[in-house]
Amino acid sequence: MSPLRVCIVGSGNWGSAIARIIGKNVQNSNRFYPTVKMWVFEEIINGRKLSEIINQEHENVKYLPGYKIPHNQFIGRICEQIAGQIKPGTFGISLIKGIDEGPDGLKLISDLIREQLKIEISVLMGANIAKEVADEKFCETTIGCKNETQGEIFKELMQTPNFRITVVLDSDTVELCGALKNIVAVGAGFCDGLSFGDNTKAAVIRLGLMEMVAFAKMFCKGPVSTATFLESCGVADLITTCYGGRNRKVAEAFARTGKSIEELENEMLNGQKLQGPQTSAEVYKILKQKNMLHKFPLFTTIYKICYEGRSIQDFIMCLQNHPEHM
């Protein structure tokens, strides 16, 4: 069987961190072709093309400075029409945490890729801060796949002694965890901004996890395994995001300053959109359609505080009166 060719699409901090792992692993395996290609969004950095810098210096100076990418990475221009360049039998894996807006509300990123490229897509989600992965600090991650053979190939491609992978077949749940935990992180940030303390924050994390499980069971077409939430994509990623990350940080500033989410995005994120509030808006639409808002008070209250002017002081009420306590 001819070796599998690997291409990484995207060159942000996470893509570059994973490129370091993949670049080393393909050299130690007969399963993969030894050169890894990367599609880069071309940018000019100090008068030079980013792709040129990575090709010549093997370092992504913008998104992951100070970390060398193995020399077998080849950087090409990003292809506008990726679909037209894909060979039959190609399969992929999405490392994107988030969701998109579909005609019925929420749409998984893997579904979008699957529909546009007409290939099988797995997902990788976990408590994986890119810089720590690049530093080779120990962490775990979860691959969700519908095709177990492909899941094992991706595990071989990406696992290292310090980047440990579990493969599960519950891929929609794995991906949904990556999006929903950002809503809970906003709630954790509110806690910090209101100086509620660690006990309250722990309650937010637990109640948030319960709502994540309930939403996944309602949203996913296939069976949802509760055990998936005990993997890195579930409880571990949730904890990491609720104690660090931009969603928690901006939500804390929201509670302390009274500024709008949009103002804070401009000030703190250079205008980039925050995932947690956006995800809460998509989730709110679906819950409203299904007349289920009352069963998800944490998700619902976070949405209303972010977008409908509900007082931040009301946040504690959604914890006190949660269905879990009735």
Side-chain angles (χ1 to χ4, degrees):
M1 193 171 130
S2 58
L4 296 169
R5 290 177 180 269
V6 181
C7 174
I8 300 167
V9 180
S11 58
N13 58 353
W14 188 210
S16 298
I18 287 295
R20 285 167 53 79
I21 290 174
I22 290 175
K24 291 173 185 173
N25 280 358
V26 297
Q27 294 172 359
N28 301 320
S29 169
N30 295 326
R31 191 196 285 269
F32 305 105
Y33 191 74
T35 298
V36 177
K37 296 188 178 184
M38 180 189 274
W39 292 113
V40 176
F41 179 76
E42 193 68 281
E43 298 176 68
I44 304 299
I45 312 292
N46 298 327
R48 293 173 67 195
K49 290 179 180 176
L50 180 58
S51 60
E52 201 175 83
I53 295 169
I54 298 175
N55 273 337
Q56 292 172 6
E57 298 172 21
H58 303 285
E59 182 180 344
N60 189 330
V61 293
K62 178 166 183 182
Y63 295 108
L64 199 69
Y67 297 90
K68 291 295 181 184
I69 297 171
H71 285 256
N72 56 330
Q73 299 290 335
F74 173 81
I75 312 300
R77 288 182 176 278
I78 291 180
C79 182
E80 292 287 331
Q81 301 291 328
I82 292 175
Q85 310 296 326
I86 291 178
K87 291 181 179 176
T90 296
F91 53 96
I93 186 164
S94 169
L95 280 67
I96 302 164
K97 290 180 180 176
I99 52 169
D100 199 56
E101 185 177 353
D104 302 317
L106 180 155
K107 196 171 184 70
L108 298 176
I109 299 291
S110 65
D111 283 336
L112 285 175
I113 299 170
R114 200 174 285 116
E115 288 166 14
Q116 290 175 13
L117 302 188
K118 307 287 189 287
I119 63 173
E120 285 193 73
I121 290 284
S122 300
V123 297
L124 182 146
M125 304 282 153
N128 308 140
I129 294 166
K131 189 180 183 306
E132 292 182 15
V133 173
D135 278 332
E136 298 181 23
K137 292 179 178 173
F138 180 86
C139 70
E140 301 173 313
T141 198
T142 312
I143 287 177
C145 60
K146 292 178 165 59
N147 181 315
E148 198 166 3
T149 303
Q150 291 175 9
E152 290 303 324
I153 289 170
F154 285 125
K155 181 172 181 174
E156 183 182 333
L157 180 66
M158 289 187 270
Q159 180 160 271
T160 73
N162 282 329
F163 190 66
R164 307 308 292 178
I165 296 171
T166 302
V167 178
V168 301
L169 298 178
D170 195 3
S171 66
D172 287 354
T173 305
V174 171
E175 187 170 8
L176 211 48
C177 282
L180 296 178
K181 51 96 184 182
N182 287 324
I183 307 178
V184 186
V186 172
F190 289 168
C191 267
D192 292 339
L194 295 165
S195 302
F196 281 166
D198 287 339
N199 292 344
T200 310
K201 192 164 168 177
V204 168
I205 293 170
R206 189 189 77 82
L207 293 170
L209 182 60
M210 299 301 289
E211 291 195 13
M212 286 169 61
V213 173
F215 187 86
K217 287 181 175 176
M218 183 190 76
F219 177 80
C220 294
K221 295 176 186 76
V224 170
S225 170
T226 309
T228 302
F229 292 89
L230 299 178
E231 299 292 347
S232 181
C233 63
V235 67
D237 197 12
L238 181 61
I239 291 168
T240 300
T241 313
C242 286
Y243 279 90
R246 62 176 65 177
N247 288 282
R248 188 219 60 79
K249 186 179 176 184
V250 175
E252 179 181 3
F254 177 90
R256 290 197 192 281
T257 65
K259 293 180 180 178
S260 70
I261 292 290
E262 195 173 17
E263 282 179 278
L264 292 167
E265 283 171 339
N266 290 329
E267 284 179 23
M268 301 173 73
L269 306 176
N270 295 320
Q272 280 185 301
K273 292 296 176 194
L274 205 60
Q275 298 150 311
Q278 279 192 316
T279 305
S280 78
E282 297 305 324
V283 165
Y284 184 83
K285 280 183 205 166
I286 289 181
L287 295 175
K288 195 172 181 182
Q289 279 172 5
K290 295 183 180 288
N291 198 25
M292 297 278 278
L293 291 172
H294 60 289
K295 294 197 172 177
F296 295 84
L298 187 67
F299 287 176
T300 300
T301 303
I302 288 168
Y303 163 76
K304 288 186 172 179
I305 290 171
C306 288
Y307 292 111
E308 293 191 352
R310 185 163 176 181
S311 170
I312 188 80
Q313 304 302 327
D314 289 348
F315 181 64
I316 193 72
M317 289 164 57
C318 80
L319 308 177
Q320 293 167 334
N321 302 320
H322 201 280
E324 277 278 299
H325 302 141
M326 307 310 271

